[in-house]
Amino acid sequence: MMRWADITEEKLREKQLITTGFGETLSWEYLCHVRNHPVNWSVPTCILYGDKDNLTSQETIHKFANDVDAELTIMQNGMLFFKMQGERKH
């Protein structure tokens, strides 16, 4: 998203919060948090990825799938949007 908005890390660090032209707010605090708390994925996972996904590159999804030993299925000409609603019941 930083690339889409043409925002450098230096600019984000300086401003702390930047609202993009596509409606997202970029946060230096959040970026630092994510980098300092990497994902520790330990559950069996299957990923369905649309090859027209404009948020996550195929390189990124392949790396993540390999890193967590997930099964990856790529849907040709697909663009997927998932939305969670409400609280998850256990």
Side-chain angles (χ1 to χ4, degrees), residues 11-22:
K11 186 172 182 178
L12 186 57
R13 184 183 319 114
E14 175 188 318
K15 300 281 186 182
Q16 295 293 303
L17 291 173
I18 298 176
T19 301
T20 67
F22 47 88

Side-chain angles (χ1 to χ4, degrees), residues 41 43 84-90:
W41 207 272
V43 295
M84 289 184 62
Q85 295 180 340
E87 287 187 32
R88 191 170 153 197
K89 304 288 184 193
H90 295 280

Side-chain angles (χ1 to χ4, degrees), residues 6-7 26 43-44 58 74 78 86:
D6 196 28
I7 303 296
L26 304 176
V43 295
Q58 284 199 29
I74 297 178

Side-chain angles (χ1 to χ4, degrees), residues 3 9 12-13 18 23 29 31 41 45 48 51 57 64 66 69 83 85 88-89:
R3 268 188 243 137
E9 283 193 33
L12 186 57
R13 184 183 319 114
I18 298 176
E29 181 180 354
L31 179 61
W41 207 272
T45 302
L48 178 59
D51 73 344
S57 71
F64 178 78
N66 286 334
D69 196 28
K83 180 179 178 184
Q85 295 180 340
R88 191 170 153 197
K89 304 288 184 193

Side-chain angles (χ1 to χ4, degrees), residues 26-79:
L26 304 176
S27 163
W28 176 253
E29 181 180 354
Y30 180 72
L31 179 61
C32 291
H33 175 81
V34 169
R35 286 185 173 160
N36 291 325
H37 300 88
V39 172
N40 181 10
W41 207 272
S42 60
V43 295
T45 302
C46 296
I47 300 169
L48 178 59
Y49 172 84
D51 73 344
K52 303 287 185 199
D53 187 313
N54 62 357
L55 289 178
T56 306
S57 71
Q58 284 199 29
E59 179 184 351
T60 298
I61 201 67
H62 278 283
K63 182 179 180 329
F64 178 78
N66 286 334
D67 288 351
V68 301
D69 196 28
E71 179 182 332
L72 175 61
T73 301
I74 297 178
M75 186 174 87
Q76 299 302 312
N77 297 312
M79 180 179 221

